[in-house]
Amino acid sequence: MTTPPIAVRVQAEPFDVAAETEKMTAGRTDIGAVVAFTGLCRAEAGRLSALELEHYPGMAEAEIERTAREACDRWPLMGVTAIHRFGVIRPGEPIVVVITTSSHRVAAFEAAEFLMDFLKTRAPFWKKEVGLDGAKGDWVDAREADDAAAAKWAR
Amino acid sequence: MKIRYFAWVRERIGKAEETLLPPAEVATIADLLGWLKTLGPEYEWALEKAEFIRVALDHVHADHAAAIAGADEIALFPPMTGG
């Protein structure tokens, strides 16, 4: 089985989910399911003016790519796109998107969840809180719930 | 070898990267973390809970038991919080 197309980008700029989806489906008549998950920056009950995301250039792309390849080994996918932003991101703005395509919905749903669970615990990104006064606050703590979510895919 | 630091590990040590030559007896990542802690209070502070520090050898996650021989770039960082 040949590996389906994988597109991974790490960028400061916002992304357009509809345009990214169109790139994956244009001209194809074999895709029956598209799942797109977008993660947004929250204001945390009005406490934050932004999140500042640090990343490890080079490794971030490589780790997301490895995760996408693993998803393609596990599910019959027709394509994977994963885009993760870095830099200053304000509440309501997108941080990450994963898009999976397949002939049927189950593979697309499961693979998208797997990708997000793995990105959260394995892709080298770190969030720092920025308060309403613009002052840099604390680093966001890793959540045990995220580790548990990733662990459920172990095999 | 080039050692890079990210997030609060970088802030506590006070630099993003440096080139260091650990002594020959530093064989594993665990050895490296222990040796780094002897370099000064800023390292001790950053690595005080060494078991929680994540490490990558040449852009690939590695266990603390992994050997560091042959790695060109070693990165130390807290648990990741992307996504």
Side-chain angles (χ1 to χ4, degrees), chain A residues 4-121:
Chain A
I6 292 173
V8 170
R9 296 208 307 277
V10 173
Q11 63 187 41
E13 305 75 35
F15 45 76
D16 180 340
V17 177
E20 298 298 334
T21 305
E22 170 66 18
K23 279 187 217 168
M24 298 172 77
T25 57
R28 297 190 64 153
T29 54
D30 55 342
I31 293 172
V34 178
V35 170
F37 170 87
T38 308
L40 307 180
C41 175
R42 288 184 306 261
E44 300 295 359
R47 250 183 344 103
L48 303 185
S49 67
L51 286 172
E52 192 172 304
L53 273 88
E54 180 171 335
H55 76 298
Y56 182 178
M59 182 176 171
E61 294 85 344
E63 191 62 34
I64 296 172
E65 175 111 19
R66 280 191 283 272
T67 304
R69 287 188 183 285
E70 185 164 352
C72 292
D73 288 343
R74 291 184 179 216
W75 289 277
L77 301 178
M78 291 173 163
V80 175
T81 294
I83 305 169
H84 203 306
R85 292 177 66 197
F86 61 86
V88 175
I89 300 178
R90 304 202 176 277
E93 287 185 6
I95 299 173
V96 62
V97 65
V98 299
I99 310 172
T100 53
T101 56
S102 187
S103 54
H104 297 286
R105 73 182 183 283
V106 174
F109 270 128
E110 288 183 359
E113 188 179 13
F114 165 86
L115 282 161
M116 279 310 304
D117 286 345
F118 264 59
L119 287 194
K120 287 191 89 78
T121 53

Side-chain angles (χ1 to χ4, degrees), chain A residues 54-56 58-59 63 66 84 95-96 120-128 139-142, chain B residues 4-8 10-11 54 56 58-61 73-75 77-83:
Chain A
E54 180 171 335
H55 76 298
Y56 182 178
M59 182 176 171
E63 191 62 34
R66 280 191 283 272
H84 203 306
I95 299 173
V96 62
K120 287 191 89 78
T121 53
R122 297 190 60 86
F125 290 85
W126 302 273
K127 292 186 182 118
K128 185 172 220 181
W139 291 95
V140 172
D141 280 329
Chain B
R4 301 184 68 170
Y5 310 110
F6 291 95
W8 53 256
R10 170 180 56 72
E11 288 182 344
R54 305 295 175 93
D58 294 329
H59 291 178
V60 179
H61 289 293
E73 182 170 301
I74 302 185
F77 43 80
M80 290 139 283
T81 54

Side-chain angles (χ1 to χ4, degrees), chain B residues 8-61:
Chain B
W8 53 256
V9 175
R10 170 180 56 72
E11 288 182 344
R12 289 182 177 191
I13 289 177
K15 57 186 97 166
E17 62 177 71
E18 61 188 325
T19 300
L20 293 172
L21 198 59
E25 64 268 24
V26 173
T28 65
I29 287 171
D31 295 341
L32 178 71
L33 295 172
W35 175 71
L36 285 169
K37 282 164 86 168
T38 68
L39 299 186
E42 67 275 32
Y43 292 88
E44 211 170 326
W45 184 36
L47 307 175
E48 63 185 353
K49 289 179 181 160
E51 66 273 24
F52 294 114
I53 300 294
R54 305 295 175 93
V55 180
L57 303 180
D58 294 329
H59 291 178
V60 179
H61 289 293

